[in-house]
Amino acid sequence: VRAGELYQMKVVTEPNIHFGLGPHLKADVVRILWTNGVPQNLFFPGTDQDMIELQVLKGSCAFLYTWDGEKYVFSKDMMWRSALGMPLGIMGANTAYAPAGPSKEYLKIPGEQMKLQDGKYTVQITEELWEAAYFDNVELVVLDHPQTEEVFVDERFTLPPYTDEYDLYAVRKRLPPVSAFDGAGSGLLQQILEKDDHYIANFQMDEYQGITETHDLVLDPGTDLPSGDLLLFLNGWIFPSDASTNVALGQSSKLKVIPPQLQVINKNGAWETVIPNMGFPMGKDKTMMVDLSGKFLSKDRRVRIRTNMEIYWDEIFFAPKAKPGKMAATRLKPVQADLHYRGFSQLYRKGGRYGPHWFDYDQVSKGQKWRDLIGNYTRFGEVAPLLTAVDDKLVIMNSGDEMTVSFDARTLPPLPAGWKRDFLIYSEGWIKDGDLNTAHGKTVAPLPFHAMTRYPYGKEESFPSDAEHREYLKNYNTRRVNTMEFRREIMDFE
């Protein structure tokens, strides 16, 4: 706390803590470092004022920006399928952690978001949250297909094992629901008919970040349905829980996470769960597909989605299950990748209060935002050789870092008349956030690797130490980062 020239610092050890201000009527600033590690500033607080930690997105993923022909725009968040060292709950006397395998993830980039620059497709991959990113492989898949059909890849979070292959689905005709209601019968159809940043948000928050009251969404596809199998397409975003929240939930018996369940009407006219966990969108602006083949138990085609996770749906529609027709898919490896410091994009809420946190690439701030994970990161400069093969030679990114990755488009076939070009970005690697309840959340090490069976791993396992990986560590893993800048930022009240 600072008031004039008076400075005080205390460690909070009880519910109420007192800072005397003497003759001062108010403090100039209160700076709090919360128990999960998040810093917060409160300027000019009055006496007897309560302070509550703001809900902020502090860890989850790296960010992807693409060139739309005029500027770089935020497209997606990446590597959502990895949560290295994330506690999932308390199992007896031990903590259970997320699976140790890498994220293997394909994300769609619409063609209008990706334009050529000097014969190359170039993306910006940034790390802006409280975490370290470990990239082992990045590739671009170019999809050329007729304009008469849309193509989608499933962008939902599911449990491992993950594959480095992808399945594409074609949509030639969208079938919007004829009605949509919540559990109380309130109409929600207008929020989901178009992808327009008007989100379903009619639920109450619970006491934990990412957890809400249990809420339902009932969708009716109507009776005018084509024969054959049906897919449900859902576009939206999720505000995730974090490591500290998961630990708290693991210690509580009164609240449990209910992943999205899909239910249908059975022959007795009652709702019955046919998919206990249908997954959820991997972060922001993700489209997921649910296969309804063989799931209906009566002639009633209504479906109900029930969960208590903080998920906001934007657009929902049905479509016949179909694969793309004619298509040319070309896979490109990076020809250039430059790692450097950039800073942090300006944050805002896209679509208003209930929209996801979005990022303005052209508005950037420098300086210290988070407490860095201590250790050795990849040195700045050219890093493309580390991204072209799955070999545990990682590009390790700190918060504030940016990686400019380019793909040579000169080898691509010409686009036929009446066709369009979309893209998939593939990434393989890990994300570890800096929450104090994350395993090894204060340090970059121990480094992840593909052969590890768990994280944190024991003495029986170790990062590869052959001559090739020792040379990699010597040449690339040389940028030492500590917490001194963060400490100076916390202590500098001027």
Side-chain angles (χ1 to χ4, degrees):
V1 174
R2 188 190 77 181
E5 296 182 355
L6 174 65
Y7 294 82
Q8 297 184 66
M9 176 184 290
K10 294 185 180 182
V11 176
V12 179
T13 56
E14 56 189 30
N16 297 307
I17 186 169
H18 178 256
F19 287 89
L21 299 181
H24 300 280
L25 296 179
K26 60 177 61 179
D28 296 316
V29 62
V30 174
R31 287 193 172 173
I32 310 164
L33 187 63
W34 292 92
T35 51
N36 61 4
V38 172
Q40 183 182 0
N41 295 331
L42 183 67
F43 295 98
F44 306 111
T47 57
D48 300 325
Q49 178 171 336
D50 293 333
M51 284 167 281
I52 301 174
E53 182 184 357
L54 298 176
Q55 177 174 273
V56 296
L57 184 66
K58 61 187 180 66
S60 69
C61 50
F63 296 162
L64 175 70
Y65 299 86
T66 57
W67 179 256
D68 69 358
E70 297 181 357
K71 61 184 183 299
Y72 282 104
V73 295
F74 179 76
S75 177
K76 304 275 175 139
D77 38 7
M78 303 177 64
M79 293 217 297
W80 233 84
R81 284 178 169 169
S82 167
L84 199 62
M86 173 70 73
L88 300 180
I90 309 299
M91 308 297 289
N94 301 313
T95 300
Y97 292 97
S103 170
K104 298 181 179 181
E105 183 181 271
Y106 288 91
L107 301 174
K108 180 185 173 182
I109 305 173
E112 57 271 18
Q113 287 186 11
M114 181 84 88
K115 302 299 181 182
L116 285 171
Q117 278 186 296
D118 301 323
K120 298 183 180 69
Y121 290 114
T122 301
V123 300
Q124 306 288 357
I125 297 174
T126 68
E127 182 50 78
E128 303 185 43
L129 299 179
W130 187 26
E131 57 199 15
Y134 309 80
F135 279 90
D136 199 11
N137 187 215
V138 175
E139 296 180 358
L140 185 69
V141 182
V142 182
L143 303 175
D144 295 343
H145 60 91
Q147 294 178 356
T148 53
E149 64 182 25
E150 300 176 272
V151 293
F152 292 89
V153 66
D154 200 355
E155 298 174 330
R156 64 174 162 170
F157 181 86
T158 57
L159 294 174
Y162 302 125
T163 176
D164 55 4
E165 301 297 325
Y166 61 90
D167 288 322
L168 288 177
Y169 297 87
V171 173
R172 300 176 182 92
K173 182 181 180 181
R174 298 186 179 205
L175 304 172
V178 297
S179 68
F181 296 93
D182 63 11
S186 300
L188 302 172
L189 186 62
Q190 294 306 310
Q191 285 97 313
I192 60 172
L193 286 179
E194 297 181 11
K195 192 172 182 294
D196 56 6
D197 300 323
H198 293 157
Y199 300 90
I200 291 179
N202 63 331
F203 43 75
Q204 296 295 319
M205 303 304 301
D206 211 294
E207 58 186 296
Y208 294 108
Q209 172 182 305
I211 308 299
T212 72
E213 64 175 1
T214 302
H215 51 278
D216 293 338
L217 174 60
V218 180
L219 304 167
D220 187 353
T223 58
D224 187 19
L225 295 175
S227 59
D229 295 330
L230 200 64
L231 292 179
L232 175 61
F233 290 74
L234 305 105
N235 174 270
W237 72 282
I238 183 173
F239 197 105
S241 61
D242 58 23
S244 292
T245 299
N246 289 346
V247 169
L249 288 171
Q251 296 170 339
S252 172
S253 59
K254 66 178 182 178
L255 184 61
K256 300 298 179 184
V257 176
I258 304 173
Q261 305 170 347
L262 187 119
Q263 302 173 335
V264 300
I265 297 291
N266 62 23
K267 292 181 179 180
N268 297 321
W271 290 107
E272 183 173 331
T273 300
V274 290
I275 304 179
N277 185 354
M278 72 176 203
F280 50 84
M282 295 186 298
K284 310 173 196 304
D285 193 21
K286 303 294 172 61
T287 299
M288 53 180 278
M289 285 82 79
V290 181
D291 192 347
L292 300 178
S293 306
K295 297 298 188 295
F296 294 113
L297 302 179
S298 68
K299 293 182 179 181
D300 193 324
R301 292 296 186 262
R302 287 178 296 163
V303 298
R304 183 168 76 176
I305 299 170
R306 168 168 288 185
T307 185
N308 68 346
M309 299 177 72
E310 191 177 348
I311 302 173
Y312 300 84
W313 300 117
D314 187 12
E315 181 184 32
I316 300 176
F317 62 90
F318 298 86
K321 185 177 181 180
K323 292 293 185 181
K326 295 180 180 180
M327 172 171 286
T330 307
R331 205 174 190 110
L332 301 177
K333 293 182 178 295
V335 293
Q336 292 175 311
D338 183 78
L339 180 67
H340 49 272
Y341 178 81
R342 172 179 173 265
F344 304 93
S345 299
Q346 182 178 353
L347 180 148
Y348 63 97
R349 297 300 289 261
K350 182 184 181 185
R353 178 180 177 184
Y354 301 112
H357 293 95
W358 218 248
F359 307 90
D360 186 343
Y361 185 83
D362 293 330
Q363 302 295 321
V364 60
S365 62
K366 309 289 184 181
Q368 197 70 25
K369 186 173 183 179
W370 310 104
R371 172 188 56 78
D372 292 318
L373 280 66
I374 299 172
N376 280 22
Y377 293 80
T378 304
R379 57 98 180 110
F380 290 149
E382 181 59 47
V383 293
L386 304 182
L387 299 175
T388 57
V390 177
D391 54 9
D392 292 325
K393 297 175 185 176
L394 311 170
V395 176
I396 307 173
M397 298 177 65
N398 187 27
S399 186
D401 288 352
E402 177 179 70
M403 185 165 54
T404 303
V405 185
S406 296
F407 305 88
D408 191 349
R410 291 175 297 179
T411 60
L412 294 175
L415 194 64
W419 284 40
K420 68 169 297 189
R421 177 165 288 173
D422 290 318
F423 305 86
L424 303 178
I425 189 81
Y426 175 73
S427 61
E428 185 164 343
W430 295 265
I431 297 284
K432 181 169 71 173
D433 74 41
D435 191 293
L436 299 185
N437 281 296
T438 298
H440 300 297
K442 292 184 178 181
T443 58
V444 178
L447 297 183
F449 58 99
H450 280 76
M452 64 182 180
T453 59
R454 56 193 173 94
Y455 195 95
Y457 47 81
K459 295 181 179 179
E460 73 281 1
E461 295 183 321
S462 64
F463 188 78
S465 59
D466 56 90
E468 192 174 341
H469 282 83
R470 290 198 303 270
E471 189 70 12
Y472 149 72
L473 294 174
K474 176 182 176 182
N475 292 334
Y476 285 98
N477 196 20
T478 58
R479 179 167 50 112
R480 185 70 181 174
V481 173
N482 56 38
T483 60
M484 291 307 297
E485 288 298 323
F486 177 76
R487 291 174 180 270
R488 279 193 286 267
E489 184 75 16
I490 289 293
M491 294 303 298
D492 183 12
F493 285 92
E494 298 297 329

